[in-house]
Amino acid sequence: MEQLQRLVVRYRDCEQTPVRFRPGTWRSRLDPHGAAHVLDIGVEYANGSSGDRLISRGDLVDLRDRVGDDPDSLRDLFVAVMIWGSGTTNGRGPRYTEAALSDARMPAVLQTTREAVRQGDLREAYRRFVLSGVGRSFFTKWFAAVDERDGMCGRALILDDRVFRSLNALGWSSWKAAGTRHWPTRYATYVSFVHGWASSLGVTADRLEWLLFHLNGRVDEPELGKLGLSGGKFRTDLRRSSVPALVIRG
């Protein structure tokens, strides 16, 4: 816990900024499914003439609060999540999104997993999310986006490869903490632990999740110093009463 606390303090001025995306790379994948209008989300990117736009986590919250329960609305929110999660660095994002849109299971999967998340049953949501082209890194983004519960209620969090690298670097193992290799249980255990750590450290769980994402496994302070991140304010465009203990190896 001490190492994680030092990281929270070290990065207290680090801000999550909007993600840049390129509508032109997405349009042909979304047009056939009637979802190209989602590309208007966010704001225009001011630097350059490429037509890029910026989408933030706040934009996802705004869209979530506006959409209804019908399949097209949930589809639009899912597409926005995929755009936000891909940015300009994941060139496979448009292709994977098209694969999901072409999957006949999509309406039922989005509806049932949203309901499970909002009921607090993250294991069931994880178990039920099966769509072509969409793995854990992206469908946990969907869980986080659709969860409108209060932050104190164990809201869903993102568990992607970058977060995993940081957890592993801190010596935390999801399967050991969960006592099983069952992925739905491991995900729910991760969410529970992060909420517990966040409460102990005086930050929100969303903030701690993002910090783990930003670090991408680079949790050793000497390495952070080499990156020139030891002080000052900077920005990045990457994107319970009983608190479980964080055990650090070594």
Side-chain angles (χ1 to χ4, degrees):
M1 181 65 75
E2 290 181 2
Q3 185 178 10
L4 191 56
Q5 185 174 28
R6 288 196 297 271
L7 291 168
V8 167
V9 172
R10 177 180 290 270
Y11 287 89
R12 62 182 177 273
D13 293 327
C14 184
E15 303 173 3
Q16 183 175 16
T17 60
V19 174
R20 183 163 59 96
F21 73 97
R22 190 154 294 156
T25 64
W26 288 84
R27 196 167 304 279
S28 64
R29 305 286 187 173
L30 303 181
D31 257 332
H33 302 278
H37 60 275
V38 180
L39 296 171
D40 293 331
I41 195 170
V43 297
E44 185 177 353
Y45 180 59
N47 299 325
S49 57
S50 60
D52 289 0
R53 297 183 67 81
L54 298 174
I55 179 174
S56 69
R57 203 162 186 170
D59 290 323
L60 298 182
V61 173
D62 291 342
L63 182 58
R64 180 198 70 200
D65 292 343
R66 293 199 312 268
V67 300
D69 296 329
D70 60 285
D72 286 350
S73 294
L74 295 183
R75 175 207 62 198
D76 289 352
L77 179 56
F78 172 78
V79 169
V81 169
M82 293 296 287
I83 292 171
W84 176 74
S86 300
T88 57
T89 60
N90 186 348
R92 296 168 294 181
R95 174 161 51 90
Y96 290 160
T97 303
E98 182 182 33
L101 291 169
S102 301
D103 192 326
R105 297 171 292 184
M106 171 175 272
V109 168
L110 297 185
Q111 182 67 41
T112 57
T113 57
R114 187 184 73 153
E115 290 176 358
V117 166
R118 291 184 173 184
Q119 292 170 4
D121 194 346
L122 300 183
R123 290 182 180 85
E124 183 66 6
Y126 195 107
R127 187 183 70 81
R128 284 180 171 270
F129 201 103
V130 182
L131 275 183
S132 299
V134 186
R136 182 197 69 243
S137 291
F138 278 88
F139 68 65
T140 58
K141 290 179 175 67
W142 165 253
F143 295 166
V146 300
D147 197 343
E148 60 183 8
R149 295 176 298 153
D150 182 86
M152 300 301 292
C153 296
R155 280 174 47 88
L157 299 170
I158 298 167
L159 181 57
D160 60 15
D161 291 342
R162 295 175 63 100
V163 172
F164 238 122
R165 288 189 194 102
S166 293
L167 291 170
N168 290 337
L170 288 166
W172 188 81
S173 165
S174 62
W175 72 266
K176 288 182 180 179
T180 178
R181 300 243 182 213
H182 183 243
W183 268 110
T185 301
R186 290 168 68 178
Y187 171 66
T189 299
Y190 151 76
V191 171
S192 178
F193 268 64
V194 172
H195 276 277
W197 297 334
S199 177
S200 178
L201 294 169
V203 296
T204 66
D206 286 350
R207 170 71 180 180
L208 190 54
E209 165 225 284
W210 175 78
L211 177 59
L212 294 169
F213 167 86
H214 173 68
L215 291 171
N216 193 21
R218 302 187 303 268
V219 301
D220 295 324
E221 289 180 333
E223 292 300 316
L224 294 174
K226 292 177 184 178
L227 292 172
L229 304 180
S230 57
K233 188 170 183 177
F234 62 97
R235 298 162 67 86
T236 176
D237 289 320
L238 294 176
R239 346 171 283 106
R240 309 162 289 243
S241 54
S242 176
V243 179
L246 176 63
V247 180
I248 306 300
R249 286 196 297 264

